[in-house]
Every structure is written in C-alpha cells, then in structure tokens.
C-alpha cells in the first residue's frame, strides 16, 4: 500500500447477508428425502435423493460430490452420478466399508431423510476438451459416470476405461447404455485385472486426439499408474485430472491467542473461527471486505508472534518472511501480538 | 462502406398494468441510484482488488444502491434496453461465445431470470416446470412486454442464444470467465456498453492479457490477486466491485465501445468547442457482480453501467469536493489510461466552483 | 516540494502490456513430447532452416511430422494444417516458425483446436508483418506496420491505428479508426 493513500476502514455491514435468493441454489446443510435405493452389487448401494417439498435442486458440474451425514457426527463425501444438468434428484453410490458407509447401508430407507451439504465441485470437466478420456477404478466409477453423462448431453465424445473386479462392476450397465445410444460418441473399454488395466492405460494414453483431457478416479494404485503413464505418454499436467476418495482438508486450524498491544487485551480465537471474527466479536474494530484473503483490507500489523500461518494471497513472499503483517480474515498463528 | 443487413430490433411494449405504470413513473434521478465509488474520507484513488459482498444496500447522500443483483434503472430501464437491443441488432459481434461455454450461458440465463423474478415480483415472472417438465420455463417481463417460453439447454426454443436473450432483458453487460489451461479466461460475453474496449477482441483472453493496458495492475500483483479471488470464490456467496471513470463522451450514450468509436470519438471536442463539455461530463460507474454458476462453474463479471453528469454530482457538495480532490491527486498514468487527463483542471475547477 | 512531507515517494509498478514475447533464439525441442509436429510457415529460407534443425533433433527423439505451409491464409494450406492437427495425438509438441503474421495466426488456430501453452513453441523469423484486427469490422489484415503505426483495413477500408495490445486467441493486434473524431 502506498503512503499517499489515505484509506479509511469501510463502514461495517450490519445487515444480514443474502447469498442466493432462489432455493435452486441452496448448497448449505439441509435434509433431503430418500426416494430410491438400489443395490448395484453386494457392496454398493445406489441412493436417490429429492427435495422434500419438490423444489428444484442446485445444478452441479460433472464430477461434483455431496457431503452426507453418515452416522453420529460423521460426514462423508460421495460423488454424484448424474450429469448435473437441472437435476430433479441427486444420486450417489456408496461402497460399504466399515464406518459411515456401513451406517448408510444399514440405516437408509425409502421415505426416510438424509442430511446433505453441497454439491461441491473439485473434479470438473475442462470446457476446452476436444475429447475426454475417463478412467475409473472400482467405486471410482461414480464421478466418471457423471462425466460420461455430461459429455453425452453436450454431444461430445469420450472414451471410458473401467477397471473392476468381476462381480463388482457397479454402473457398468449404465456406461454400456450410454455407449449404445444412437449417435453416441462414448466408447467403453473394460479391464478386470491390474495387468490389463496397465496395458489399457498405456495404450489409450498413447492414442488420444489432440486436445483431449483425461480424468481418473479410483484406488491410489490405479491413480499412480495413471499419472505415471500420462507422463510417459507426454501429457502436460494441465490435461491430467484426478480425484482421490480421501477426505478433503477442511482445516479449521488450532485455537490461539491474539493480544492487542495498545490495551493489552487478550482475544482467544477458537478453532474454526478466524482472527477477524475473533477480534470483531471482542469489539476490536477491524476493516474488511472480501473475507477471502484477497482484497488486503483486513491487513493488521504484527508486533510479535510465536508463529504465523499465512493463508492469504495478498502478502508477498518477502512480507510473509518479515512477519510484520497478517491478513486477519484467513490467516492464523500462535500468540500473535497485534500492533493496534 | 459495406452495408450490413440489420436484424429487426425486438420491440419494447410495456404491459399496461398498475405495477408497470408505477415502476415507470418513478422519478428519473441519476444520482439516486449511482453507486458512489469512494468511501467517506477517501482522498486519493489507487486501484485495488476492491471486492465486497453483494446484495447489501448502501445508502449514499443521494439515495441508495446495491440492494439487488440487477438494478433495472427505474424509469430509465426501457431507454437503456432500447439502446442495448439496437446495438445487438446492428452488430451481432457484440455477443461472443467460445466453444464449451454454451452450458454456462444457460446457467447464467436461468440464474438471472430466477433472481429477477424474486427481486421484482410485480413486474417480472418466471414459471418453472411448465406442464410438469422440469426443464421448461416461461419468462415474462411486463416492463418490456417479453413473454417467452423455453426449454433449458435447447437453443431452438429461444429467438436467439441464451446469452443474447438475457442481454435483451437486463441492462448489464454479461461476461463469463472460466478456468482453462491453468488460468482464468474470458470465454463468453454479450457486451454493448464497453468503455472503449471491444468484446470481440477481448474474448478468449486470460486475466493478464485483458488487463495489460491497465497501468500498474499486473506489475503490482493485482491481476494475480484478482485471478486468485475469482478462482477461489465460494459458490454460496455473491460478490461485487465498483469501478469508476469519466466517460470519453459527455453524453448519456451507454455504447462507448471501441467498435462504436467512430460514432462517439468527436463528441468531447464538439462539446468543448461549444463550451458545454464540462458540466455534461459523465461520471461513469461500473458495478460488477461476481456469481459462481453451479452447472458450469463459470463466474460472472457482469457490468452495470451508471452515469451522472458533473452538474448532477455538483448538487451534492460533499461528493463534488471529494471527486475534485481525487481528480486533482490522481497520478498522471491513471488519468491518461482513463482518458481524461487533459480535462482534469477544468473538471476540478467546475466541481469546486 | 517532495521534501516537505516525510512520506516516501510512491513506487509505480511496471506496466505489462499484452504483447507476444518471442524468444531471441529458436527454442529447443521439448523432449517430454512423445511426438512432434514442426510447422514451417511462409516459405522463407530462415524458417526452413530453423525447421530443419528442429526436425533433426525431434525426429531423433520421437516420431515427427513436418508441415510446410506457404500461406496460412490460403484455404488449402489451412486445411492441410487442420488435417495435421486432426492426426496428431495428445502428447505431441508443436513447433512453429515463420514471420510474425503467420506464426500468430497459426498459433491461434492451434489454440482453437485446444492446444495448451505448454504444447506450443514458436520462433519468429521477422516481425515485418502484423496481423491487425479491426475493432469496427472484425477483419484481420496482414500489414507491414508496428504497434503505434497505421494500416488500411482490408474489411472496411478505414485507416487503423494499431494498439500495443495483442490477443493470443485471435492471433492479432488490436486496431481502431485512426481518424475517428477528426471532423
Ligand atoms: C470427493 C470424494 C468423493 C467420494 N465419492 C465416493 C463415492 O462415490 N462412493 C463411495 O463409496 N465413496 C466415496 N468417497 C469415499 C467416502 O467419502 C468415504 O471415505 C468412504 O465411504 C469410507 O467411509 P467410512 O466412514 O465407511 O470409512 P471409515 O470408517 O473411515 O473407514 C473404513 C475402512 O475403510 C478404509 N477406507 C476408507 N476409505 C477407503 C477407500 N476409499 N477405499 C478403500 N478403503 C478405504 C479405512 O482405512 C478403514 O479401514 C468419496 C470421497 C471423496 C473425498
Ligand atoms: C476482482 C477482479 C478484477 C479487478 C480487481 C479488475 C480491475 C480492473 C481495473 C482496475 C481496470 C481499469 C479500469 C479503469 O481504470 O477504468 C480494469 C479494466 C478492465 N477489466 Fe478488470 N478487473 C477484474 C476482473 C475482470 C474480469 C473477470 C474481466 C473480464 C471478464 C475484466 C475485464 C476488464 C476489461 C475488459 C477492462 C478494460 C481493459 C482495457 O482498457 O482494454 N476484469 N479491470
Ligand atoms: S478481508 Fe479481504 S483480505 Fe481479509
Ligand atoms: Zn475494418
């Protein structure tokens, strides 16, 4: 910030903030009705959900997932299998393991309810793709099916490689159905053991049209083989996409203490609360705008700190090094003494 | 000069209802809706990633702005839309959609129609699930007399593409960005009111290319920060940003695009010669809204342009004084880029007189 | 004047205009590619010799195709180029050499076919000709001009002033009516 600028903190908003107005854009935690259950294999349960009052559901990009309540205090992510276009229902397929997935298998019944959040998009399709190579391993078929369906809707072409253990091929029939539609530009390749999968991966990655994007989801062994084969085949990283079924990091951070130097006031900032929120709650005035760590409005001078965890995109590398400032809306630390 | 066959301009025919009459009878006051761009006490302007949460009404000395995603413009709405539609009909190149962005245009159309119907329920209506079909909608805009049924995703059910359809209904210029090859790209737009830039030239650019002409922006790291913000912008919130300028034409012409340069380039010199330029100079505010659209992941950068003349600004002495101070202090590179460096002394004198 | 205030002088960050950044030497062949497409444009001897040296390196490493196109504006040459792109497989690296006009237009065509920046390398043998995009009629003119100079639009006949602003997607420099406003 240049010295010439005499900027004052903006007027803080008292009004409640409204994100989207229409219910068709609701993404927060809400309860949906279970309107369909289907056992796809002995370990995979397909679950269909709808809004209890028949309101439209938020559309989503292919490859999105829902965060689903899966037992006491437990929330798991499950990929949506639909194409995301103006969906009447949300559909997920859950492989039974030990914890929340087993709870879902045990507990869900048609007519019952399920708490969900999202959809969230972390595995989207590139809009410049000339062709899609979709690679699925086991239950990783769920987002791949979503991508294949979206490609069909957009009239685009896709090659699907599905690697599964015989007898455990959830959604294989759906993929064949997509490929079999008149005029379909979807092709399905199957592999039923590790060797076949590797051979197919290598062969397919060597022979895709210019401008193809590849997407893979499956067990880590498959994903490693995929990344390796893509690199060997000369694919730039910008064309190689994947999703791992491990929990995304929603890091709420550790609690810490901030001190206002001028008054000696100590403010406890709990986990999941930002420094900015902590200070505002304690009545310490701080200007802010975006609360996303980009606008630079909430920059606070730091006198001393045991540790600073910069999570913004405002401060330069040198500024971070110096530790003289912290962006209160996103960054954290330990025992921060603020020069206020 | 080559003759271009102009498409017919879709007629504007307001319905005769009490709500429409009341809406169109609102007093025309350009200052009342103008998003005053400077915080209280602000005396020196520099660019910043000044994004803020949207849909929060902001009072000003003259009125209020920012309550809704779309400000129709009150009684001026039909005038703005007539200009918009005439430009679209005469120059189809103002609408540019790169391959792969078709779905994003539908996403945008549906989002805006739904939002408009909820913001202006007396005059705008969206019927959903027409005949029980979740993809069928009926849009009615009583202020312009639009009544259009359509099927989402089916271009043949609209008189034009979805992006142009929306552009015919709202005063905002519509811009869509999406990540491609690791960077955010401006890959679809319907822009009739660009301030001296051209949508057909800019479409397909990344944020660095677009902002190349803007002094200091990329060099200060601002382009990178703006891009990061848009890439990480959460899907459940809507943001906005305000930009300001003094328009190159001292008239209320919205279309001062680069395409139309030959039509407006002489306006300022003519008004200067006639001695009327300075009071008529237009403080031109762009209110930009960022929405992440769910079906495509595209982010909007929709620009609503507001104008008030310096004469109108001068009715509010505090604003006139603040604008004079800011113009006076503005570094030359910024004033030159904005295009009014040569007018500053006269504008400052006028605002202070 | 400045000495009365204690404030340090404002540091003005540098401008980054949008202009193609051509290397001064032909770039090397990207050895991570699994095939190569070398495009020699415009029929010049400089382009041919650069293409030949790329070809030698590339072909020793991976299957390589050479495309020689005398005129990127010629529909037949364009079709040839698109045919080469259609036959190319992901993993290919494309090397383009020729005059600035030809190279910018060919790169735009490749980008329209989905090329990513990491797949493209280019060398410009001379900058005599620029692709000039008319902001009024949207046509692109091949013109001997530099940014800041003037050129006649082949679409609408206006005298255009070429801006210091280029678009990769279009493969052209922006230009607008140089006489606008003059009465
Ligand atoms: C973005 C995303 C999308 C996902 N989509 C799907 C989906 O469409 N369908 C689906 O069934 N699951 C999906 N998952 C995985 C899902 O969220 C849960 O992790 C999974 O259901 C296991 O949860 P649990 O509570 O039953 O297992 P836990 O009780 O946490 O673990 C049970 C046992 O299984 C092991 N385990 C945990 N996860 C896996 C795994 N993925 N593969 C093999 N072993 C594992 C654990 O180590 C443990 O031994 C997705 C995850 C993410 C992050
Ligand atoms: C937070 C995000 C953004 C910020 C902070 C920002 C900032 C700016 C600034 C400061 C200017 C100069 C304006 C003036 O002085 O009048 C500008 C110009 C411009 N911006 Fe942005 N911008 C952002 C996002 C975008 C996006 C997403 C687009 C396109 C989709 C865009 C398109 C433009 C264009 C076309 C211009 C005119 C450039 C020219 O003169 O050719 N901006 N922007
Ligand atoms: S409020 Fe914008 S950076 Fe913190
Ligand atoms: Zn022209």
């Amino acid at each position: 910030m240049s010295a010439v600028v005499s900027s004052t903190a903006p007027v803080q908003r008292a009004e409640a903030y409204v994100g989207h107005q229409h219910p068709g854009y609701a993404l927060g935690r809400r309860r949906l009705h279970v309107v369909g259950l289907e056992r796809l294999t002995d370990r995979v349960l397909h679950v269909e959900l709808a809004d209890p009052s028949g309101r439209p559901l938020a559309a989503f990009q292919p490859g999105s997932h829902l965060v689903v309540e899966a037992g006491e205090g437990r929330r798991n992510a499950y990929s949506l299998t639909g194409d995301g276009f103006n969906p009447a229902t949300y559909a997920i397929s859950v492989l039974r393991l030990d914890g929340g997935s087993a709870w879902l298998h045990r507990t869900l019944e048609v007519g019952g309810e399920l708490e969900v959040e999202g959809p969230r998009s972390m595995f989207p399709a590139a809009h410049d793709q000339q062709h899609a190579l979709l690679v699925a391993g086991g239950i990783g078929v769920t987002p791949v099916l979503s991508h294949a369906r979206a490609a069909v809707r957009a009239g685009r072409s896709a090659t699907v490689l599905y690697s599964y253990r015989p007898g455990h091929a959830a959604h294989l029939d759906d993929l064949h159905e997509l490929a079999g539609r008149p005029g379909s530009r979807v092709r399905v390749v199957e592999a039923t053991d590790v060797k076949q999968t590797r051979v197919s991966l290598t062969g397919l990655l060597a022979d895709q049209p210019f401008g193809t994007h590849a997407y893979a989801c499956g067990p880590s062994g498959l994903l490693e083989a995929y990344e390796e084969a893509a690199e060997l085949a000369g694919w730039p990283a910008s064309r190689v996409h994947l999703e791992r079924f491990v929990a995304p990091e929603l890091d709420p951070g550790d609690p810490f203490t901030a001190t206002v130097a001028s008054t000696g006031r100590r403010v406890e900032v709990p986990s999941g609360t930002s420094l900015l929120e902590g200070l505002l709650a304690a009545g310490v005035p701080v200007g802010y705008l975006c609360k996303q760590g980009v606008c630079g409005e909430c920059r606070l001078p730091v006198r001393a700190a045991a540790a600073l965890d910069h999570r913004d995109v405002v401060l330069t590398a040198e500024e971070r090094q110096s530790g003289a400032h912290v962006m209160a809306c996103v960054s954290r630390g330990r025992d921060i003494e603020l020069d206020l | 000069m080559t003759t271009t066959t102009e498409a017919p301009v879709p007629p504007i025919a307001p319905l005769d209802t009490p709500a429409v009459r009341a809406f169109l009878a609102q007093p025309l006051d350009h200052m009342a809706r103008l998003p005053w761009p400077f915080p209280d006490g602000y005396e020196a302007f520099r660019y910043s990633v000044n994004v803020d949460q949207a849909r929060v009404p902001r009072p000003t000395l003259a009125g209020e702005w920012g309550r809704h995603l779309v400000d129709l413009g009150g009684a001026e709405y039909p005038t703005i839309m007539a200009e918009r539609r005439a430009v679209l009909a005469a120059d189809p190149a103002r609408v540019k959609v790169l391959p792969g962005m078709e779905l994003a245009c539908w996403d945008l159309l549906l989002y805006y129609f739904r939002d408009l119907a909820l913001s202006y329920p007396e005059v705008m209506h969206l019927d959903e699930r027409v005949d029980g079909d979740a993809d069928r909608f009926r849009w009615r805009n009583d202020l312009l007399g639009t009544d259009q049924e359509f099927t989402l995703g089916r271009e043949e059910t609209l008189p034009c593409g979805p992006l142009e359809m929306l552009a015919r209904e709202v005063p905002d210029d519509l811009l869509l960005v999406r990540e491609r090859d690791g960077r955010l790209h401006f890959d679809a737009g319907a822009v009739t009111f660009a301030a001296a830039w051209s949508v057909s030239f800019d479409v397909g650019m990344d944020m660095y290319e677009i902002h190349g002409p803007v002094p200091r922006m990329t060099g200060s790291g601002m382009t990178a920060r703006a891009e990061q913000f848009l890439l990480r912008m959460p899907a459940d919130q809507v943001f906005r940003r305000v930009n300001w300028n003094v328009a190159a034409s001292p008239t209320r012409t919205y279309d001062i695009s680069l395409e139309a340069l030959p039509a407006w380039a002489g306006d300022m010199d003519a008004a200067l010669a006639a001695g009327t330029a300075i009071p008529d100079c237009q403080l031109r505010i762009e209110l930009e809204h960022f929405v992440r659209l769910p079906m495509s992941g595209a982010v909007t950068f929709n620009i609503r342009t507001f104008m008030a003349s310096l004469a109108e600004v001068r009715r509010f002495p505090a604003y006139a004084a603040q604008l004079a101070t800011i113009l006076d202090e503005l570094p030359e590179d910024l004033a030159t880029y904005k295009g009014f460096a040569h007018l500053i002394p006269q504008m400052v004198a006028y605002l202070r007189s | 004047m400045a000495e009365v205030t204690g404030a340090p002088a404002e540091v003005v960050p540098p401008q980054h205009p949008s202009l193609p950044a051509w290397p001064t030497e032909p770039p090397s062949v990207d050895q991570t590619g699994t095939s190569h497409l070398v495009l020699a444009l415009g029929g010049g001897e400089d382009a041919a010799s650069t293409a030949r040296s790329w070809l030698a390196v590339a072909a020793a490493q991976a299957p390589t195709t050479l495309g020689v196109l005398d005129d990127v504006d010629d529909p037949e040459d364009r079709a040839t180029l698109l045919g080469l792109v259609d036959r190319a497989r992901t993993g290919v690296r494309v090397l383009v050499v020729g005059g600035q006009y030809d190279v910018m237009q060919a790169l735009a065509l490749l980008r329209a076919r989905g090329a990513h920046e990491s797949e493209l390398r280019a060398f410009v043998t001379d900058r005599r000709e620029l692709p000039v995009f008319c902001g009024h009629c949207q046509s692109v003119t091949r013109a001997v001009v530099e940014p800041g100079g003037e050129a006649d639009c082949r679409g609408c006949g206006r005298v255009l002033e070429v801006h210091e602003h280029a678009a990769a997607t279009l493969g052209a420099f922006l230009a607008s009516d140089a006489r606008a406003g003059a009465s």
Side-chain angles (χ1 to χ4, degrees):
Chain A
M1 193 122 317
S2 91
V4 196
V5 182
S6 69
S7 137
T8 53
V11 188
Q12 298 302 336
R13 291 168 297 270
E15 307 90 336
Y17 169 67
V18 190
H20 306 299
Q21 295 197 78
H22 190 280
Y25 300 94
L27 300 174
R29 282 201 202 193
R30 59 207 190 276
R31 303 195 74 81
L32 297 182
H33 269 170
V34 179
V35 295
L37 287 178
E38 188 189 346
R39 207 156 279 287
L40 301 181
T41 73
D42 58 353
R43 290 182 62 199
V44 177
L45 180 68
H46 187 61
V47 183
E48 229 179 313
L49 304 163
D51 186 89
S53 47
R55 289 184 307 191
L57 295 169
F60 56 89
Q61 298 183 68
S64 295
H65 63 270
L66 270 188
V67 178
V68 169
E69 164 204 27
E72 200 56 48
R74 193 177 195 125
R75 299 169 80 228
N76 285 353
Y78 293 100
S79 300
L80 289 150
T81 56
D83 64 14
F85 181 89
N86 196 26
T89 60
Y90 286 156
I92 57 173
S93 296
V94 180
L95 173 70
R96 193 181 66 240
L97 296 168
D98 296 342
S101 56
W103 183 90
L104 289 166
H105 274 246
R106 256 195 333 270
T107 319
L108 291 185
E109 44 186 38
V110 173
E113 287 192 328
L114 186 61
E115 188 189 272
V116 307
E117 187 176 340
R120 294 181 182 168
S121 171
M122 296 195 328
F123 187 42
H127 66 284
D128 68 342
Q129 83 189 15
Q130 309 295 304
H131 177 73
L133 175 63
L134 302 167
V135 179
I139 192 62
V141 72
T142 46
V144 159
L145 177 60
S146 169
H147 277 284
R149 285 179 163 151
V152 168
R153 177 180 284 279
R156 293 178 169 205
S157 59
T159 303
V160 184
L161 169 62
Y162 187 8
S163 165
Y164 58 84
R165 282 184 300 119
H168 297 270
H171 293 300
L172 181 60
D173 51 344
D174 291 317
L175 290 170
H176 281 306
E177 189 271 322
L178 282 178
R181 288 191 197 172
S184 169
R185 297 170 68 207
V186 174
R187 183 166 79 96
V188 180
V189 179
E190 296 168 51
T192 52
D193 63 41
V194 173
K195 186 155 169 275
Q196 247 183 26
T197 306
R198 279 185 182 269
V199 170
S200 298
L201 266 179
T202 307
L204 288 170
L205 283 162
D207 192 20
Q208 294 301 307
F210 186 59
T212 303
H213 280 260
Y215 308 83
C217 183
S220 44
L222 174 82
L223 296 182
E224 274 161 34
Y226 159 79
E227 283 190 291
E228 229 170 77
E231 198 182 328
L232 272 177
W235 288 52
S238 56
R239 300 195 175 285
V240 183
H241 316 278
L242 60 82
E243 176 151 89
R244 293 174 202 280
F245 279 178
V246 293
E249 237 170 277
L250 297 172
D251 184 4
D254 294 328
F256 63 96
T257 310
T259 314
V260 178
S262 59
T263 59
R265 174 93 190 264
R266 287 168 61 86
V267 178
E268 301 298 335
V269 183
S271 172
T273 301
S274 71
L275 172 57
L276 174 68
E277 287 165 322
L279 291 168
L280 292 174
V284 181
V286 182
Y288 64 89
L289 275 174
C290 70
K291 290 196 186 174
Q292 306 290 319
V294 297
C295 75
E297 202 61 44
C298 66
R299 175 197 288 254
L300 296 179
V302 173
R303 185 170 289 181
L308 284 177
D309 171 16
H310 295 288
R311 299 170 168 198
D312 61 277
V313 294
V314 175
L315 298 178
T316 62
E318 299 84 69
E319 286 175 312
R320 285 161 186 239
Q321 199 73 46
S322 82
H325 289 96
V326 66
M327 308 308 304
C329 66
V330 288
S331 299
R332 312 183 68 83
R334 233 167 348 101
D335 297 328
I336 305 178
E337 192 182 350
L338 295 166
D339 216 346
L340 291 175
Chain B
M1 213 114 307
T2 50
T3 49
T4 52
T5 41
E6 294 197 1
V9 181
I12 288 174
L15 297 198
D16 191 17
T17 69
V20 168
R21 280 196 298 273
F23 188 96
L24 297 177
Q26 294 174 74
L28 248 188
D29 179 349
H30 300 132
M31 283 300 286
R33 329 182 75 89
L34 189 88
W36 187 255
F38 311 115
D40 283 353
Y42 199 85
E43 295 180 333
F45 176 82
R46 296 297 179 275
Y47 293 138
S48 69
V49 184
N50 52 328
V51 293
D52 188 7
Q53 289 181 332
R55 294 194 221 272
V56 180
R58 284 293 173 100
T60 68
L61 296 179
E64 179 199 281
W65 63 275
R67 181 169 296 272
H68 296 301
L69 179 65
V70 178
D71 182 332
L72 296 174
E76 201 194 356
Y77 176 54
T79 316
I80 306 174
M81 297 320 298
E83 183 175 346
R84 154 72 45 79
R85 289 181 177 194
V87 175
L88 287 174
D91 187 1
R94 306 296 183 98
V95 182
K96 283 276 146 86
V97 180
L98 293 193
M101 291 299 281
E102 301 83 1
L103 190 64
C105 297
W106 285 107
D107 216 0
L108 177 72
L109 177 82
L110 184 58
Y111 188 92
Y112 266 66
F113 278 179
R114 282 173 161 173
D115 193 85
L116 288 162
L118 291 166
S119 297
Y120 303 101
E122 303 86 12
V123 288
M124 294 182 165
H125 325 275
L126 185 71
D127 300 332
E128 306 206 14
R129 288 195 153 273
V130 172
D131 296 336
D133 180 345
D135 292 344
R136 277 181 64 196
F137 298 83
R138 180 180 177 198
W139 165 251
R140 281 172 298 143
N141 178 351
D142 300 346
L143 293 170
L144 303 180
T146 317
D147 186 344
Q148 179 70 46
E149 213 181 286
F150 65 90
T151 303
L152 197 68
R154 294 280 193 77
E155 194 153 329
E156 68 275 15
T157 62
L158 286 176
C160 54
L163 194 59
E164 181 166 354
M165 179 71 210
L166 181 59
R168 290 178 182 182
E169 301 292 304
V170 296
D172 305 54
D173 283 323
L174 308 171
L175 291 78
L176 292 172
V177 295
R178 201 172 186 266
E179 191 266 333
R180 163 161 70 78
D181 197 6
R183 282 189 170 178
L184 208 61
H185 286 80
F186 168 32
D187 278 355
V191 183
T192 59
F193 301 155
W197 57 276
S198 154
V199 58
S200 39
F201 185 72
D202 278 20
V203 85
M205 285 186 168
D206 68 26
M207 293 279 284
Y208 294 85
E209 285 183 281
I210 290 181
H211 292 106
V214 182
R216 308 181 182 201
M217 184 156 165
T218 297
S220 68
M222 217 180 107
T223 307
R225 285 205 295 283
E227 180 178 48
Q228 280 304 311
F229 165 73
L230 291 170
L231 286 169
R232 292 164 24 149
M233 201 186 94
D236 60 350
Q237 292 177 46
V238 179
F239 292 85
R240 68 185 174 201
R241 160 175 192 270
V242 180
N243 184 49
W244 71 278
N245 202 342
V246 177
S249 166
T251 67
R252 286 193 65 81
T253 309
Y254 282 89
D255 181 12
I256 51 163
S257 61
L258 189 83
E259 287 90 334
L261 176 77
W264 56 262
D267 291 358
M268 187 64 83
D269 283 349
L272 283 169
T276 58
I278 301 303
D280 285 346
C281 274
Q282 302 290 322
L283 178 62
R284 191 171 158 118
I285 309 295
E286 296 177 353
L287 177 58
E288 301 149 352
H289 276 97
F290 307 97
V291 183
R292 185 178 295 286
L293 300 168
M295 197 151 71
S296 59
V299 175
T300 69
F301 186 70
N302 295 338
I303 308 174
R304 169 73 160 89
T305 297
F306 297 80
M307 282 181 274
S309 68
L310 293 192
E312 288 168 316
V313 171
R314 211 168 59 159
R315 293 196 344 251
F316 300 87
Y319 284 166
Q322 187 180 29
L323 181 58
T325 306
I326 284 169
L327 288 173
D328 209 11
E329 192 279 343
L330 197 68
E332 188 165 349
D333 54 339
L334 299 195
T336 301
Y337 169 70
K338 283 178 177 283
F340 54 67
H342 59 299
L343 299 172
I344 286 181
Q346 293 178 71
M347 292 197 290
V348 170
Y350 175 75
L351 288 166
R352 286 183 176 156
S353 67
Chain C
M1 246 182 285
E3 50 271 25
V4 277
T5 78
E10 183 173 11
V11 180
V12 176
Q15 184 87 15
H16 293 264
S18 312
L19 296 172
W22 306 120
T24 50
E25 294 288 317
S28 61
V29 173
D30 180 356
Q31 306 273 339
T32 64
T34 44
S35 62
H36 300 281
L37 175 57
V38 175
L39 297 174
L41 309 175
E45 180 41 41
D46 289 353
S49 88
T50 300
R52 270 195 303 275
S53 40
W54 277 340
L55 195 60
V57 179
Q61 185 245 332
T64 300
T65 309
L66 173 68
V68 181
L69 307 172
D70 287 340
D71 182 359
V72 285
D73 295 331
D74 178 62
E76 243 172 73
D77 277 4
R78 262 184 187 247
T80 305
L81 176 50
L82 291 178
L84 290 170
V85 174
D86 285 343
R87 282 195 295 282
R89 305 284 91 186
T90 298
V92 72
R93 297 297 182 273
V94 188
L95 296 139
V96 187
V97 61
Q100 176 158 246
Y101 176 93
D102 298 319
V103 168
M104 284 184 75
Q105 287 286 296
L107 289 176
L109 214 140
L110 290 159
R111 289 181 179 117
R113 285 300 177 105
H116 282 191
E117 295 311 309
S118 58
E119 294 164 326
L120 303 172
R121 291 192 182 178
F123 185 64
V124 159
T125 51
D126 76 80
R127 305 186 183 200
R128 228 170 54 87
E129 293 173 333
L130 284 190
V132 174
F133 174 86
C134 172
H136 314 299
C137 76
Q138 277 88 47
S139 47
V140 174
T141 302
R142 185 194 281 266
V144 179
V145 65
E146 284 180 13
E150 292 186 352
D152 295 329
C153 177
R154 71 174 174 88
C156 66
R158 287 188 175 88
V159 179
L160 299 176
E161 179 197 340
V162 181
H163 299 217
E164 216 188 35
H165 193 24
T169 298
L170 282 172
F173 280 72
L174 180 62
S176 61
D177 191 340
R179 308 281 179 264
S183 39

